[in-house]
Amino acid sequence: MANSLSPYFPEFWARTAQVLHKPQAIYRQIANFRGESEMKNGDVFHRILPNTTQIQDYSRYSDIDAQDISGTNQSLTVDREKAFRFEVDDLDEVQSNLSLAKTYMKNAVRDLSNVLDSDVLYEALNATSEVDDETIGGSSDTPITLTGSNVFESLTKVQQKLSEQNVGLDSLYGAIDPATAQIIASQVGARETSFGDEATRNGFNGNMVRYNGMDLYVTNNYTSSLELSIATQPTNGDTVTYTIAGEDVLFTFVTTIGTTAGNVLIGASADTARANLETLVNAPGTTTATGVALTGTDLYLLQQCVAVDTAADDTLDFYAKGKSVSGAETLTDGTDGFVAAKASKWLQFGRRGAVDMVVQSRPSVDMRKESRRFGTNIMGKSLYGVRTFTDGAAELCSVRMLLS
């Protein structure tokens, strides 16, 4: 006997979409927004850095030497413009069993907020002080391989570095990755404190821990970096691939520039080739005589990345803001390539308010009907500026951890 009853078995679709787990932005908890109240319009916020006066010996009835006083203007420019757009046809919305516009809008706004967050956390690279492997007795210019035995010393060094800059140790925070949080938790025995309730009262519902006098926010919006060594002139067809948030972005070194996206002109030397790659990474949407612009997802990912060429070391450092990153290459010279021991996570520590930020247009959404078809554009935008002034840089300390 073989019944055939499958036509009677209904299939059901969930009325809610799956959750895309994304970081909780923390920039509102750690940045300084002193300029926002003043900048209802305009695009530049100025702060003056006074020079230092010198104390001299005094002899009775003798004139005191007059010293010149001056100030240096430093400014924050509100010029970072971020946006998104997608369209939903009215008939798709009618026939969908869940709200398409609301589902995708919620995720897009979260992504937009995280871009602002990663820009603030990138300022770890502008800190006056740095804690790396050398700081705890290891190798110079090398990230720390964090363990339970060195985590306390590593984070205590942050306080030492700040004290050396005459910075008070009140209102300290850190932005740490989940791996660092796990090591800390294993050391303190996962002891519960009342800090979680305090965090909620302060308006932040993300992951936080209290350790060694610092409020530590657990986030994936920190900056990651890779070091690429190119000491030998590449060969035509050699490639470098950066995998950013799981997406492969391909660059190809060529002797004739051509029109293929990601092509990089080799030029006359290894130095020229690296410099040309740096130029394309930092302006990925612009085609020049030495590089062909990227488009689509590759372009959008690179817009949150920075490349820095150091000719003296024959290296190119690649920084990804708030995104995971790894690298691969097919360089002909076997001695060139990515330096695994230099792959780093740059974690930001300091006093609240060390980084200045002005957000003139907070992440927001606008829904506009199409004029010639039945559809709705869902668009989001934000306008902001970020700057670490000299006094703020002294209040910051980056902790360089091994990226694994």
Side-chain angles (χ1 to χ4, degrees):
M1 180 176 179
N3 291 334
S4 179
L5 302 177
S6 59
Y8 293 94
F9 302 158
E11 296 183 0
F12 295 92
W13 292 82
R15 300 189 66 84
T16 56
Q18 294 188 50
V19 174
L20 296 179
H21 295 287
K22 301 175 184 293
Q24 173 70 51
I26 63 173
Y27 66 92
R28 280 282 164 190
Q29 277 69 44
I30 64 176
N32 195 317
F33 296 92
R34 70 187 118 206
E36 275 195 10
S37 60
E38 301 178 37
M39 292 195 66
K40 302 305 181 184
N41 48 38
D43 63 349
V44 181
F45 176 61
H46 297 271
R47 294 185 68 219
I48 305 302
L49 177 68
N51 69 329
T52 299
T53 55
Q54 301 298 325
I55 304 303
Q56 55 191 280
D57 289 341
Y58 173 64
S59 297
R60 299 178 189 184
Y61 306 107
S62 298
D63 291 344
I64 301 171
D65 293 339
Q67 299 176 37
D68 293 333
I69 57 174
S70 63
T72 301
N73 175 45
Q74 296 182 345
S75 61
L76 179 160
T77 302
V78 182
D79 60 355
R80 304 190 192 194
E81 302 169 352
K82 303 294 181 180
F84 66 82
R85 182 180 76 87
F86 60 90
E87 182 182 349
V88 176
D89 192 280
D90 289 358
L91 301 186
D92 286 336
E93 192 70 84
V94 167
Q95 293 191 321
S96 173
N97 73 331
L98 53 82
S99 172
L100 298 173
K102 289 181 179 179
T103 298
Y104 286 91
M105 178 175 63
K106 178 181 177 181
N107 287 318
V109 170
R110 190 74 170 265
D111 289 335
L112 182 57
S113 294
N114 282 327
V115 167
L116 276 69
D117 204 47
S118 63
D119 274 347
V120 169
L121 294 181
Y122 177 75
E123 292 299 301
L125 276 297
N126 291 320
T128 297
S129 303
E130 178 183 328
V131 172
D132 63 5
D133 196 49
E134 183 180 24
T135 312
I136 59 171
S139 303
S140 63
D141 189 30
T142 301
I144 298 169
T145 300
L146 197 68
T147 65
S149 61
N150 65 19
V151 62
F152 183 79
E153 180 184 9
S154 299
L155 299 192
T156 301
K157 287 292 186 180
V158 169
Q159 295 168 320
Q160 176 188 336
K161 292 284 188 178
L162 294 176
S163 293
E164 289 171 351
Q165 297 297 319
N166 301 310
V167 172
L169 300 183
D170 58 301
S171 301
L172 296 185
Y173 73 90
I176 63 173
D177 64 302
T180 300
Q182 187 278 326
I183 292 173
I184 291 174
S186 70
Q187 289 302 296
V188 300
R191 292 191 297 270
E192 293 185 2
T193 69
S194 62
F195 188 70
D197 293 335
E198 180 182 340
T200 301
R201 288 198 299 272
N202 288 338
F204 180 75
N205 297 312
N207 296 327
M208 298 179 67
V209 294
R210 178 78 174 175
Y211 184 69
N212 199 28
M214 293 181 284
D215 301 343
L216 304 182
Y217 298 86
V218 184
T219 179
N220 286 310
N221 283 338
Y222 57 86
T223 295
S224 301
S225 70
L226 302 175
E227 182 175 289
L228 176 64
S229 174
I230 302 181
T232 304
Q233 186 179 28
T235 300
N236 187 59
D238 283 0
T239 65
V240 172
T241 301
Y242 292 102
T243 302
I244 309 167
E247 297 286 339
D248 292 340
V249 181
L250 175 67
F251 296 94
T252 304
F253 287 108
V254 294
T255 52
T256 303
I257 194 61
T259 58
T260 302
N263 276 1
V264 178
L265 192 66
I266 295 171
S269 65
D271 285 348
T272 303
R274 278 196 326 276
N276 290 344
L277 178 56
E278 175 193 37
T279 298
L280 185 54
V281 169
N282 291 334
T286 303
T287 295
T288 66
T290 62
V292 180
L294 296 101
T295 60
T297 299
D298 289 355
L299 170 62
Y300 308 146
L301 289 171
L302 287 173
Q303 287 173 341
Q304 282 300 107
C305 298
V306 177
V308 178
D309 175 42
T310 305
D313 297 331
D314 296 321
T315 58
L316 182 77
D317 289 310
F318 181 92
Y319 299 92
K321 304 177 186 178
K323 304 290 185 185
S324 62
V325 64
S326 61
E329 43 77 20
T330 64
L331 297 169
T332 300
D333 191 302
T335 62
D336 288 338
F338 289 98
V339 184
K342 296 297 182 72
S344 303
K345 295 177 287 193
W346 299 85
L347 306 183
Q348 185 183 114
F349 288 76
R351 293 182 75 190
R352 296 181 192 277
V355 179
D356 273 77
M357 188 178 200
V358 174
V359 184
Q360 284 188 315
S361 176
R362 295 194 180 191
S364 59
V365 176
D366 190 10
M367 302 177 69
R368 301 182 185 181
K369 283 290 189 181
E370 281 285 350
S371 61
R372 301 182 65 180
R373 58 177 177 266
F374 294 109
T376 301
N377 280 303
I378 294 89
M379 299 181 290
K381 68 178 185 305
S382 186
L383 172 63
Y384 62 99
V386 178
R387 170 75 188 264
T388 301
F389 292 97
T390 297
D391 57 351
E395 296 177 349
L396 282 184
C397 180
S398 64
V399 177
R400 187 181 180 186
M401 304 288 193
L402 183 67
L403 178 65
S404 58

